[in-house]
Amino acid sequence: MNTRTSIEKIREKAAAMRRDSIEMGYVAGSHGAHFGPALSSIEIVASLYFGVMNHNPQDPCMRERDRFVMSKGHACLSYYAALVEAGYLSREQMYTFKGDNSILPGHPSCHVEFGLEVATGSLGNGFAIACGMAMAAKIKNETHNVYCVLGDGECDEGLIWEAAMNAVKNKLDNLIAIVDRNSFQLAGKTTEIMDLDLAKIWQAFGWEVVIVEDGNDVASLLDALQAMQQSGSGKPHLIIAQTVKGKGISFMENNLGWHAAPINREQYEQAQSDLELV
Amino acid sequence: MGNLTLEKLQDWSKQGHRTAFGEAMVLLGQDNSNVYVVTADTTPTARLTNFLKTFPDRLFDVGIAEQNLIDFSAGLAKEGLMPFAVTLAAFAPMRCAEQMRSAIGYMNLNAKVVGIEAGVRFGPLGNTHFAMDDLAVARALPNFTVLSPSDPHQIYKALFAAAELDGPVYIRLTGAPGFPILYPDDFEFKIGQAIEYRSGTDVAIIATGAVLAQAIGAADLLQEKGLSVRVIDMHTIKPLDKAILDSVFAENRLVVTVEEHSAIGGLGSAVAEYKAGFAQAPRQLMVNLGDRFQKVGSYEFQLQENGLTEPAIARLVEENLA
Ligand SMILES: Cc1ncc(C[n+]2csc(CCOP(=O)(O)OP(=O)(O)O)c2C)c(N)n1
């Protein structure tokens, strides 16, 4: 199913999303942007929007659409970029990022007509809301899936585990969560702040868990996502995608200083030339 | 001023309230060996890296877990340590209000909660990152003292005063980079005792937090027009300074409360609640963030949208004094 050409197409989308993310971050000027958290998640979001999810930019509110929830809302740049590349948001809208009166703040707000499904930014909540949305689909006998991206640091929140238990209890096998395992959070490496053996813990909570060794590789992500879609285990699904925070921009990769920061002209140009090499 | 120099204040003013807080905590930590800090993946955000370096054994990061931030701190306090639990005001008190009530408040523990970036300074980040309700929540918790300092110097004083007080305190911090020093010289800071920043007989502008600067600017504009303007720095929201309000209600023709907070439950509400018991008292106007989610935009945009600027406050007073 994943032909070379379809994978290649998603890679191109991912490359475009990286460029869009840098563009948006640059127009935000001194407000800065969460570059690192967005860049690690680009391939995850691109694989969902351009390889896996059933959705229609011409009909954003289509009832049977798969739902997407960016629970680590500070990574909104990769989400907004996907919506731009898919055609939900115009380029003009894209360039309003963080501007006065914009619908694109530094954490997503809810505008389903523009593909903005759930307002997030307060960590932990998006995932718990996604569980409720998956339950609603079950109750209404709807066959769409709910996809949710969360951060590895976000898994510190007790709410994540309250929701994880509830999802298992309700057999939410229409829920596929992807942890963007970039091994950093805000104040340091996850091993320093809160060292969690995520695969073991999620498994112990009753989730079906798959680890993607290179979570910035589209082909591996697609394999994992499709395996989850077809699993039939009756359990909610979790993919741990091992990614690189700041992926694709030389000076941002694994650099905590780029969790959130403004980018200056010189850095912007450097980022652009980094992206040409990809 | 002890180990606090004017150079330090100037630097804190330039960097914003987070630096003032983080650096003042180092001074407080030196002064009081029972002071501990607890963060929720917010050590650099709250400019506490220096505190961590200076006192590596006195800072705990519980991870991104605000409820645990409060209950863990409550446990420390229960056993005699004095924790300062710190995160964005968008998340504490709101995310952990129940823990603040049932653990810290109910048991009347000697724990302090600090909310940084209160108000709408994070304007471009969206409403999840605004704290428009923190005063309302904290005020509603019995046993809590609620502080809202106005400038770098007062942040320092408020932290030391909170450490002197044996009980629960919520400290709301505001002040963007460049927020002015309103108290360049040493001054007396007493919890529950507002500061009469300027005396005047026509209108009394009562402000809290860094927007006191806007209130003072508005007073300047009004004075140019011949009005006599009283400016009060209500740095303690609870307990409210009733003595100064008694004199305002007796002596001033108009009361204006100014705060970077929702219309509900903050300084304006506190003053109005007290005023409700007076048979005769002046009219009160409230400048605040209204009762709505805010648009996205820069801090300047947010202040403008909400009339929290010097000319807007002055205009409001003029229109209503006639
Ligand atoms: C409830 C809550 N607490 C704190 C924050 C502040 N915050 C924003 S991003 C972040 C770190 C997130 O780390 P992680 O989930 O690993 O995502 P990453 O940025 O590494 O992709 C924190 C603590 C928040 N947004 N929400």
Side-chain angles (χ1 to χ4, degrees):
Chain A
M1 192 170 131
N2 294 314
T3 59
R4 265 240 178 91
T5 45
S6 69
I7 291 170
E8 207 37 56
K9 199 193 98 209
I10 298 170
R11 286 203 178 118
E12 280 166 23
K13 289 286 189 189
M17 284 165 57
R18 264 205 179 81
R19 282 194 297 274
D20 296 342
S21 300
I22 298 298
E23 287 293 306
M24 284 185 269
Y26 188 52
V27 299
S30 61
H31 296 319
H34 286 86
F35 289 104
L39 292 169
S40 61
S41 66
I42 294 266
E43 280 75 17
I44 299 170
V45 180
S47 300
L48 289 173
Y49 269 87
F50 304 106
V52 172
M53 275 171 33
N54 172 33
H55 66 111
N56 179 3
Q58 264 67 56
D59 186 7
C61 304
M62 175 175 87
R63 190 67 227 168
E64 63 272 27
R65 72 190 182 280
D66 285 331
R67 309 296 198 268
F68 176 76
V69 180
M70 179 57 101
S71 192
K72 46 169 260 185
H74 60 288
C76 62
L77 284 180
S78 64
Y79 184 17
Y80 296 163
L83 295 179
V84 170
E85 292 306 321
Y88 290 90
L89 292 170
S90 68
R91 261 176 211 276
E92 292 73 59
Q93 281 173 314
M94 173 179 120
Y95 281 106
T96 68
F97 176 63
K98 285 194 176 179
D100 295 352
N101 285 314
S102 173
I103 62 159
L104 304 178
H107 301 83
S109 51
C110 176
H111 292 282
V112 182
E113 70 277 22
F114 292 115
L116 293 159
E117 198 78 56
V118 172
T120 55
S122 170
L123 293 168
N125 289 294
F127 174 67
I129 295 167
C131 294
M133 292 163 68
M135 187 77 234
K138 291 260 174 204
I139 290 167
K140 297 168 90 172
N141 281 321
E142 294 175 345
T143 54
H144 62 262
N145 287 328
V146 179
Y147 296 90
C148 178
V149 172
L150 49 157
D152 46 5
E154 185 177 9
C155 294
D156 297 353
E157 284 285 0
L159 177 53
I160 293 289
W161 305 104
E162 296 172 22
M165 288 185 274
N166 192 39
V168 172
K169 173 185 167 182
N170 290 297
K171 301 191 175 57
L172 300 180
D173 56 356
N174 56 347
L175 176 60
I176 300 179
I178 303 107
V179 175
D180 179 3
R181 182 61 157 148
N182 60 29
S183 298
F184 281 90
Q185 48 197 100
L186 190 153
K189 293 183 174 161
T190 48
T191 47
E192 296 159 0
I193 306 297
M194 198 54 68
D195 196 6
L196 301 176
D197 189 338
L198 288 178
K200 265 206 190 124
I201 301 176
W202 282 95
Q203 246 152 14
F205 269 73
W207 284 58
E208 183 177 20
V209 176
V210 166
I211 296 174
V212 174
E213 300 285 342
D214 182 354
N216 293 114
D217 177 58
V218 168
S220 318
L221 285 166
L222 289 178
D223 285 346
L225 285 162
Q226 280 151 7
M228 288 300 194
Q229 282 175 322
Q230 289 149 17
S231 104
S233 67
K235 295 177 180 179
H237 314 281
L238 187 89
I239 295 172
I240 298 176
Q242 296 180 167
T243 59
V244 174
K245 197 157 177 169
K247 175 75 180 177
I249 308 298
S250 54
F251 56 95
M252 291 183 182
E253 287 195 1
N254 293 316
N255 181 347
L256 202 59
W258 285 98
H259 173 75
I263 186 170
N264 66 30
R265 169 132 212 123
E266 210 176 304
Q267 293 159 335
Y268 169 70
E269 279 162 9
Q270 174 66 46
Q272 283 184 317
S273 71
D274 285 357
L275 289 178
E276 271 161 37
L277 298 176
V278 180
Chain B
M1 282 187 0
N3 42 10
L4 182 64
T5 60
L6 188 60
E7 288 74 57
K8 256 187 202 141
L9 284 182
Q10 280 160 346
D11 180 53
W12 296 357
S13 152
K14 193 170 140 209
Q15 311 284 343
H17 74 265
R18 289 194 253 167
T19 300
F21 165 70
E23 292 304 309
M25 283 308 292
V26 176
L27 301 177
L28 180 60
Q30 281 158 353
D31 183 72
N32 185 334
S33 61
N34 199 33
V35 165
Y36 288 77
V37 165
V38 188
T39 63
D41 199 18
T42 40
T43 305
T45 316
R47 306 294 184 259
L48 287 161
T49 312
N50 205 5
F51 185 97
L52 177 61
K53 262 198 216 125
T54 318
F55 309 108
D57 301 328
R58 285 161 64 186
L59 185 147
F60 309 103
D61 186 336
V62 298
I64 312 170
E66 291 75 15
Q67 300 179 67
N68 191 30
L69 170 76
I70 299 303
D71 278 347
F72 182 68
S73 300
L76 297 178
K78 180 78 180 56
E79 300 305 319
L81 310 184
M82 195 201 308
F84 281 67
V86 188
T87 189
L88 298 178
F91 307 125
M94 196 44 124
R95 183 74 174 256
C96 44
E98 201 265 330
Q99 284 73 22
M100 283 172 66
R101 183 192 69 194
S102 303
I104 295 178
Y106 191 28
M107 295 192 275
N108 207 5
L109 297 172
N110 189 20
K112 324 297 170 187
V113 179
V114 180
I116 56 171
E117 295 292 0
V120 287
R121 223 275 289 179
F122 274 161
L125 288 184
N127 281 277
T128 52
H129 282 59
F130 302 161
M132 305 189 283
D133 41 38
D134 59 319
L135 288 178
V137 173
R139 273 184 69 224
L141 307 176
N143 284 341
F144 261 87
T145 292
V146 180
L147 304 180
S148 166
S150 59
D151 91 329
H153 199 169
Q154 208 177 68
I155 289 175
Y156 168 91
K157 292 263 186 183
L159 290 169
F160 275 74
E164 284 297 309
L165 187 150
D166 184 11
V169 181
Y170 171 63
I171 305 163
R172 157 183 243 240
L173 295 181
T174 51
F179 73 131
I181 301 169
L182 303 173
Y183 299 94
D185 306 318
D186 198 17
F187 69 104
E188 197 186 9
F189 180 90
K190 267 200 170 155
I191 289 177
Q193 208 171 91
I195 295 171
E196 175 138 0
Y197 197 83
R198 200 177 277 184
S199 53
T201 50
D202 292 326
V203 57
I205 306 182
I206 307 174
T208 194
V211 290
L212 173 65
Q214 276 85 327
I216 294 166
D220 289 341
L221 294 174
L222 291 164
Q223 274 164 334
E224 280 168 26
K225 302 206 166 167
L227 288 171
S228 170
V229 185
R230 187 175 190 178
V231 178
I232 288 167
D233 179 353
M234 195 65 87
H235 54 67
T236 306
I237 303 296
K238 185 182 161 186
L240 203 58
D241 184 348
K242 292 179 176 164
I244 206 162
L245 290 177
D246 288 346
S247 89
V248 165
F249 299 159
E251 295 160 24
N252 295 98
R253 289 199 283 142
L254 181 69
V255 181
V256 182
T257 49
V258 176
E259 64 194 310
E260 193 179 330
H261 186 274
S262 150
I264 295 171
L267 170 69
S269 297
V271 170
E273 284 159 18
Y274 181 58
K275 204 160 74 74
F278 285 70
Q280 294 215 321
R283 198 149 81 88
Q284 178 186 348
L285 306 172
M286 304 192 197
V287 183
N288 52 45
L289 300 172
D291 172 26
R292 63 173 177 280
F293 289 107
Q294 304 295 321
K295 295 175 189 165
V296 179
S298 67
Y299 186 45
E300 294 68 36
F301 173 80
Q302 305 290 357
L303 295 178
Q304 245 152 35
E305 285 284 306
N306 288 290
L308 275 161
T309 63
E310 297 172 7
I313 298 167
R315 213 175 311 119
L316 183 76
V317 171
E318 267 190 289
E319 283 167 7
N320 285 279
L321 254 189

